[in-house]
Amino acid sequence: MILSVDKVKFSYKSRPVLREINFKVNRGELFSILGNNGAGKSTLLKCLNKILKPQGGTILIEKEELLALSRREVARRLGYVAQRYESARITVFDAVLLGRKPHIKWDVGVRDLEVVRNVLEVLGLEEFSLRYLDELSGGELQKVVIARALAQEPRVLLLDEPTSNLDLKNQFEVLRIVKKAASERNIAVVVVMHDLNLVLRFADKFLLLKNGTIFACGGMEIMTPENIAAVYEVRVAVERLADTPVVVPL
Amino acid sequence: MRQVAMEKIPESYLKYTQRKVFIICLLLFLIFLLGVYAINVGAAELSPLQVLLTLLGKTEEGPFTIIIWNIRLPRVLAAITAGVGLSVAGCVMQNLLRNPLASPFTLGISQGAAFGAAVAIIALGAGSTHSTSADAVIINNPYLLTICAFAGAMATTLVVLFLAQIKGVTPEAMVLAGVALGSLFSAATIILQYFAREVQVAAVVFWTFGDIGRASWRDLGIMATTVGAALLYFMANRWNYNALDAGEETAKGLGVEVEKIRLVGMFVSSLITAVAVSFLGIIGFIGLVGPHMMRRVLGNDHRFLIPASSVMGGLLLLASDTLARTIISPVVLPVGAITSFMGAPLFLYLLSRGYSRK
């Protein structure tokens, strides 16, 4: 177990968004958070990274209390890819080098450059390294921000809708990379996603969030038509097609 | 070991960073050349060689050494220092407020300083003129004037920061708040002038022109210390500014204390502006032109952008001041007018390109 969330509560002003959230994530796991818009998925992800401060509960990362760590210490342990990001006029190499920020004291070291080179290679971005971010396609850009988070050498990677703007090919490519990173680096990946078919194909664990509370949490066994229908308020069937689980709205 | 590791780094990337360092060095060299030229030109005939020898202390005492050490050199150094300060302040403000039009001038800080100066001259009797020609302006009490101008600049800053921190005005909207504050202070200055004697009005107008020649060695010392310390602070935070460019949430995810960095950064850049403006008067557009020229050439990486913008600002103000002194010599034009002449077209160019942060 690498991440343990216990009784986490969060409210914007007086409106509660999350109530009593408990779950655990293991190493090497791709853990997905699911639910309708406004269910509190992104809020939960931001709480896990201390961008938002929960009003109650504890979050343990490798037995350390997350809320007691400084922002820099948090950044050394967790990588976060936001739903929205901006593409300034910097090169791909520099954008990924930024991921070393939590580790850099005054200037970049040889190791930092090496980590960046390595991550670029893993994501197949080497040939882009001197291209400017604003010249990249959506898929390439998404890979760059994931590369940046991986360059942080995090123990937990948090992704907020990493595939929402991508075409089919890039959706698969990005999720394959993420899944490979999870198993090879033995880190946990927590991902917020909307596409149930992609989730069923790639995720190991599922957390169904409804109105700020956990509706169900577990493996493939909780992804029943009944649960999904209750959370998304749409009747569905879960079938297997060519040996792959698929969700079909009815 | 180190050698082996370095070999794995793409050579093209190292070349790419070296090119940026080279451009900065080139600008530094240009500043040096222009500096020697600026000391050289003027009413008293000097030769570049004389200038260099005098600066190295290799000539005998004489009228030349006095002109160089007491008039020309402080002026040149003041132009460089103020240019560096105003430009780097603009560069950091644009990043912190996420707005390409942020600068000491557009945030109303300069207008606040002008109002302070007007109060000092009109209400507190710090200056007057003997005739209508600008040369005859007498500032009776330069310390009072400087302190009042500084207070005006800092007051504007505090209001802008107050709006951002307490009232939760978004960084993007802070520039709009600055524009509003700027016109408020301009209006207040006009009302003050309306009730003033004409010699006082002339003194205020003269002060707001901006004039590098006002700086004494002591003023220069204060400016250089402030700008130097600020530069160190900015360079120490260059990675934080790069992270902010990637978006606020991403920056937080990378361990940046966004609110703190923004508050302190705005305070420091306002402080530089206040010091420069209160000693030299209003010099607009350097904080806009310097950083934007370098953004085009070097991109937005603050590791290089901060030093490059600084050097560019110094170069621009030195060039403007030299132009102001020589264009219709022996008349010295107000340097603020020259910088605005260059800056305004660039401002229009930026507007025509839209608000994209490219």
Side-chain angles (χ1 to χ4, degrees):
Chain A
M1 187 183 57
I2 191 164
L3 187 69
S4 160
V5 178
D6 192 29
K7 291 186 189 136
V8 163
K9 275 183 280 193
F10 184 83
S11 40
Y12 280 115
K13 304 245 162 83
S14 59
R15 189 173 62 87
V17 182
L18 299 172
R19 338 168 202 237
E20 298 254 329
I21 302 290
N22 307 299
F23 64 89
K24 289 179 169 49
V25 185
N26 294 314
R27 285 174 189 282
E29 218 168 61
L30 205 151
F31 187 97
S32 60
I33 300 174
L34 307 168
N36 275 335
N37 289 332
K41 304 183 298 295
S42 294
T43 306
L44 176 55
L45 210 58
K46 283 177 197 167
C47 284
L48 294 183
N49 200 25
K50 217 183 152 190
I51 287 178
L52 295 174
K53 219 170 172 182
Q55 278 98 7
T58 52
I59 300 169
L60 294 180
I61 172 156
E62 290 185 321
K63 303 201 173 70
E64 277 181 293
E65 172 60 59
L66 183 94
L67 298 174
L69 297 175
S70 76
R71 192 169 281 300
R72 186 185 167 94
E73 285 173 305
V74 171
R76 286 185 183 179
R77 290 164 177 79
L78 294 110
Y80 173 70
V81 174
Q83 205 171 338
R84 275 182 294 274
Y85 41 81
E86 283 164 52
S87 50
R89 193 163 178 84
I90 54 171
T91 61
V92 169
F93 196 98
D94 288 326
V96 177
L97 189 59
L98 195 55
R100 299 301 300 163
K101 211 218 138 254
H103 303 275
I104 292 172
K105 285 210 173 68
W106 176 260
D107 206 0
V108 188
V110 175
R111 192 179 130 61
D112 296 313
L113 293 171
E114 220 186 309
V115 168
V116 172
R117 192 197 59 92
N118 187 23
V119 170
L120 287 175
E121 192 183 313
V122 169
L123 270 79
L125 288 167
E126 279 166 308
E127 53 175 315
F128 296 104
S129 51
L130 288 186
R131 286 264 288 277
Y132 284 109
L133 286 195
D134 49 14
E135 295 166 352
L136 298 182
S137 75
E140 289 153 2
L141 198 55
Q142 188 68 46
K143 280 186 220 161
V144 171
V145 287
I146 290 174
R148 175 191 292 152
L150 284 176
Q152 274 174 263
E153 299 189 306
R155 285 161 235 179
V156 177
L157 184 59
L158 308 171
L159 305 173
D160 200 347
E161 298 188 24
T163 56
S164 53
N165 294 318
L166 304 183
D167 59 35
L168 197 59
K169 173 176 171 278
N170 279 302
Q171 285 179 346
F172 274 66
E173 220 173 292
V174 162
L175 286 174
R176 278 204 193 104
I177 288 166
V178 167
K179 200 162 167 69
K180 204 169 144 215
S183 61
E184 275 179 4
R185 294 165 179 246
N186 202 22
I187 62 173
V189 179
V190 179
V191 54
V192 166
M193 264 170 68
H194 280 302
D195 189 324
L196 287 174
N197 287 317
L198 276 178
V199 170
L200 283 178
R201 186 184 276 257
F202 287 99
D204 303 305
K205 291 277 180 61
F206 310 88
L207 185 149
L208 291 169
L209 210 55
K210 190 177 186 186
N211 298 328
T213 51
I214 295 182
F215 186 84
C217 182
M220 204 47 210
E221 73 281 356
I222 68 148
M223 295 302 276
T224 59
E226 296 75 30
N227 281 350
I228 295 172
V231 169
Y232 285 93
E233 291 161 9
V234 174
R235 282 208 312 134
V236 296
V238 180
E239 302 285 339
R240 289 192 83 82
L241 213 72
D243 222 22
T244 310
V246 286
V247 176
V248 187
L250 295 173
Chain B
M1 175 65 198
R2 193 185 156 86
Q3 202 57 41
V4 176
M6 283 305 281
E7 273 168 19
K8 290 187 189 159
I9 309 307
E11 203 176 301
S12 49
Y13 179 73
L14 294 176
K15 265 195 189 142
Y16 160 82
T17 50
Q18 280 158 6
R19 191 183 72 94
K20 296 187 176 191
V21 174
F22 174 74
I23 291 176
I24 295 171
C25 292
L26 193 72
L27 287 173
L28 273 174
F29 183 65
L30 279 178
I31 274 208
F32 175 75
L33 283 188
L34 186 63
V36 172
Y37 173 75
I39 295 174
N40 188 33
V41 295
E45 292 290 324
L46 302 172
S47 78
L49 188 68
Q50 261 178 325
V51 171
L52 273 179
L53 287 176
T54 310
L55 290 183
L56 292 170
K58 295 246 167 76
T59 50
E60 285 170 23
E61 281 289 316
F64 290 150
T65 48
I66 291 171
I67 290 174
I68 289 176
W69 281 106
N70 293 354
I71 300 173
R72 301 266 176 90
L73 187 62
R75 186 177 185 123
V76 164
L77 290 180
I80 295 173
T81 312
V84 165
L86 291 171
S87 184
V88 80
C91 171
V92 170
M93 282 170 166
Q94 284 152 19
N95 171 271
L96 293 176
L97 300 184
R98 317 199 49 63
N99 192 319
L101 297 180
S103 78
F105 197 64
T106 42
L107 277 172
I109 297 170
S110 303
Q111 291 88 333
F115 175 69
V119 169
I121 291 169
I122 295 168
L124 307 174
S128 65
T129 52
H130 289 309
S131 72
T132 46
S133 114
D135 293 24
V137 170
I138 290 181
I139 304 295
N140 306 326
N141 192 340
Y143 300 115
L144 181 64
L145 187 109
T146 302
I147 289 167
C148 284
F150 185 79
M154 287 317 284
T156 320
T157 304
L158 292 178
V159 173
V160 172
L161 290 180
F162 171 81
L163 287 172
Q165 284 311 111
I166 314 294
K167 294 288 169 190
V169 170
T170 60
E172 289 86 350
M174 277 164 76
V175 171
L176 296 178
V179 170
L181 281 173
S183 39
L184 185 74
F185 278 118
S186 300
T189 309
I190 289 170
I191 291 175
L192 260 181
Q193 288 174 342
Y194 189 76
F195 292 106
R197 284 180 292 124
E198 59 187 65
V199 284
Q200 293 173 325
V201 174
V204 174
V205 170
F206 168 74
W207 186 88
T208 53
F209 275 165
D211 178 15
I212 310 285
R214 281 175 214 165
S216 67
W217 274 109
R218 201 185 51 92
D219 299 346
L220 184 61
I222 297 174
M223 266 201 297
T225 314
T226 318
V227 171
L231 262 181
L232 265 183
Y233 170 79
F234 290 150
M235 277 312 279
N237 281 289
R238 63 205 188 283
W239 288 101
N240 291 331
Y241 301 142
N242 279 349
L244 256 177
D245 260 346
E248 204 158 307
E249 282 178 357
T250 305
K252 284 182 180 171
L254 288 167
V256 180
E257 310 259 9
V258 174
E259 286 80 14
K260 192 182 121 196
I261 292 291
R262 180 170 286 144
L263 193 69
V264 179
M266 283 305 291
F267 182 79
V268 172
S269 31
S270 306
L271 189 71
I272 308 178
T273 310
V275 170
V277 169
S278 50
F279 282 132
L280 305 178
I282 293 181
I283 299 163
F285 286 105
I286 294 285
L288 209 55
V289 185
H292 278 295
M293 285 173 90
M294 291 334 284
R295 271 176 215 280
R296 294 241 173 256
V297 180
L298 294 183
N300 282 339
D301 187 343
H302 286 77
R303 284 183 293 162
F304 305 105
L305 186 61
I306 290 175
S309 302
S310 315
V311 181
M312 195 67 208
L315 190 64
L316 282 173
L317 191 53
L318 181 60
S320 306
D321 185 51
T322 312
L323 193 67
R325 277 169 47 208
T326 52
I327 192 165
I328 45 169
S329 175
V331 175
V332 178
L333 286 178
V335 70
I338 304 273
T339 57
S340 297
F341 238 101
M342 307 188 311
L346 186 99
F347 210 105
L348 293 175
Y349 171 68
L350 283 173
L351 283 172
S352 74
R353 298 242 341 175
Y355 270 84
S356 70
R357 293 180 45 82
K358 280 176 185 172

